Amino acid sequence: MHVDLYERIWMWAASAMIALFLAVVAFSAATQAVHPPGEVETIDPLQVRIQGEFAAPGVHRGPGGETTVVVVAEMFRFEPSVIRVPAGEKVTFRVTSPDVLHGFQVVGTNANVMVAPGYVSEFSLTFPEPGEHLVVCNEYCGLSHHLMSGKLIVEEAR
Ligand code: CUA
């Protein structure tokens, strides 16, 4: 069967492209090149509820008066669902998921992280003004994703 030279060149070019794409997919899968932003800390998702700080999620005051908010994001709620933090002070959030990918966004603020099972998403923020904010999950996580919300209340500084 005669195949035109020009056609053969394009067949090879197409094959080379497919091979390249497969190589990229294989490389990404092998090296887990897709990570949530700021990821440095890993956690066993099966242990999240059982041991460590995430077994008792909530707002914690450290010995130096620092505020740490430990949040579990799971299908389809945040625990704690109501978070109270002081205004004008640095607040550190530590969020993880025991099941699937979620988001943790405090509407109207700069707080917005991806929450992946296996990782702790940590960030710090100061809320200048007292007020109430909606907390939403902004990653599609299942049928009741749209019901997954909470509240963050910024209280007058003590
Ligand atoms: Cu959790 Cu969407």
Side-chain angles (χ1 to χ4, degrees), residues 48-120:
V48 162
R49 283 307 200 168
I50 296 165
Q51 60 177 28
E53 66 199 301
F54 293 103
V59 181
H60 305 302
R61 300 283 290 177
E66 67 274 16
T67 303
T68 304
V69 183
V70 175
V71 181
V72 173
E74 64 184 4
M75 296 156 120
F76 295 98
R77 64 199 196 107
F78 294 104
E79 194 184 342
S81 60
V82 178
I83 299 167
R84 289 174 188 275
V85 297
E89 283 178 36
K90 188 178 115 174
V91 177
T92 300
F93 291 83
R94 291 173 55 74
V95 195
T96 195
S97 161
D99 42 47
V100 299
L101 183 69
H102 297 282
F104 180 85
Q105 179 179 8
V106 183
V107 177
T109 73
N110 283 338
N112 185 358
V113 286
M114 195 184 268
V115 185
Y119 297 95
V120 177

Side-chain angles (χ1 to χ4, degrees), residues 74 76 101-103 137-142 145 148:
E74 64 184 4
F76 295 98
L101 183 69
H102 297 282
C137 172
N138 55 17
E139 298 286 344
Y140 182 75
C141 53
H145 155 73
M148 189 167 168

